[in-house]
Amino acid sequence: MRPPFVIAVDGPAASGKGTISTDLGAHYDLPMLDTGLLYRAVGVMLKRQGGDLDDAGAAAKVARDLQAGDLDDEAFRTREAGECASRVAVHPSVRAALLDLQQVFARRPGGSVIDGRDIGTVIAPFAPAKLYVTADAEVRAERRFRQLRGRGEDVTFPDILEDIRRRDARDGGRSDAPMVQAPDAVLLDTSQMTIERATDAARRIVEAARARWEISR
Ligand code: C5P
């Protein structure tokens, strides 16, 4: 049986995958799930309770109790939230607690766009379209720096570059569901691309995957 048309968009922080996913969701009229938000919510909510990010049991409890309505919070978009997210994301029990919600979404018959780190490898390995979006660390740091400054955060470029490098190492080095390109994902390096060119390139990759999916049974 043909799987639902899931577009899996993985890659490191500030690679452009969020913008690309939003564009693809609008273009194909598919619902979108930003899975980074789940880990951000767990990290920030745990901290708000005065919990320890390294305490796997406490983090997993927050993950199990997470409600869809909890996700709409600007505090999850901050620099600190990204760091908290990647620290709780190393715990296998946290990942396990968030698995069901993500897989139910991935099985929606009408298809979806899901962005994260392990979508093409763990959450939806059956996805007919897989992208691995990346860019040089300096380019990503510059983008994230401008974005955070635009939101009024008092940050410096060297600090953000350091964040990006630390997060890449942690996300890529963890033993459970590390950030890695799925063997059947198409690599899209956006280092030299404007947003328009990157979304264009992503649409072309997905269009080819969709044509293959449409003739499959
Ligand atoms: O994509 P975003 O920057 O919001 O993700 C925040 C953090 O959440 C990542 O650095 C990563 O540690 C974690 N994450 C993950 N698996 C996903 C999505 C995000 O481990 N599918």
Side-chain angles (χ1 to χ4, degrees):
M1 254 260 293
R2 187 162 84 168
F5 193 69
V6 174
I7 306 174
V9 186
D10 290 303
S15 56
K17 70 186 156 53
T19 308
I20 286 173
S21 299
T22 305
D23 175 76
L24 291 170
H27 185 69
Y28 289 101
D29 196 20
L30 293 172
M32 235 199 92
L33 179 64
D34 168 5
T35 62
L37 203 49
L38 304 174
Y39 294 91
R40 286 170 178 263
V42 172
V44 172
M45 288 165 79
L46 177 62
K47 265 220 140 160
R48 276 186 190 150
Q49 295 171 6
D52 175 359
L53 298 170
D54 298 327
D55 181 345
K61 178 162 182 359
V62 176
R64 281 194 297 274
D65 294 345
L66 195 69
Q67 307 283 325
D70 293 336
L71 298 176
D72 198 12
D73 189 331
E74 275 304 304
F76 301 158
R77 310 260 170 210
T78 64
R79 170 187 178 201
E80 195 196 347
E83 176 67 16
C84 292
S86 99
R87 289 193 41 200
V88 295
V90 302
H91 305 310
S93 53
V94 168
R95 307 198 71 83
L98 298 175
L99 194 64
D100 203 43
L101 184 159
Q102 296 176 83
Q103 287 187 331
V104 165
F105 196 89
R107 284 193 221 102
R108 292 168 67 110
S112 52
V113 182
I114 312 184
D115 100 57
R117 301 289 185 290
D118 60 343
I119 310 308
T121 50
V122 176
I123 303 298
F126 58 81
K130 294 185 188 179
L131 285 165
Y132 191 83
V133 184
T134 190
D136 298 341
E138 286 77 10
V139 173
R140 290 186 285 125
E142 182 66 37
R143 289 176 186 162
R144 184 50 52 91
F145 173 66
R146 285 172 194 268
Q147 193 182 46
L148 293 172
R149 272 290 177 93
R151 280 198 217 121
E153 277 204 58
D154 183 20
V155 290
T156 68
F157 176 78
D159 284 349
I160 299 302
L161 181 58
E162 164 80 26
D163 279 6
I164 292 266
R165 292 204 163 119
R166 189 175 49 241
R167 201 124 76 84
D168 284 356
R170 195 186 290 129
D171 291 348
R174 69 182 173 225
S175 53
D176 190 20
M179 172 176 74
V180 64
Q181 183 183 347
D184 53 348
V186 179
L187 181 69
L188 180 60
D189 186 329
T190 66
S191 302
Q192 310 287 334
M193 293 182 181
T194 58
I195 290 186
E196 291 71 26
R197 270 199 58 206
T199 50
D200 245 40
R203 282 190 192 188
R204 275 200 301 274
I205 293 165
V206 173
E207 210 40 53
R210 185 152 181 114
R212 283 194 298 276
W213 175 79
E214 265 166 0
I215 57 168
S216 66
R217 299 260 151 220

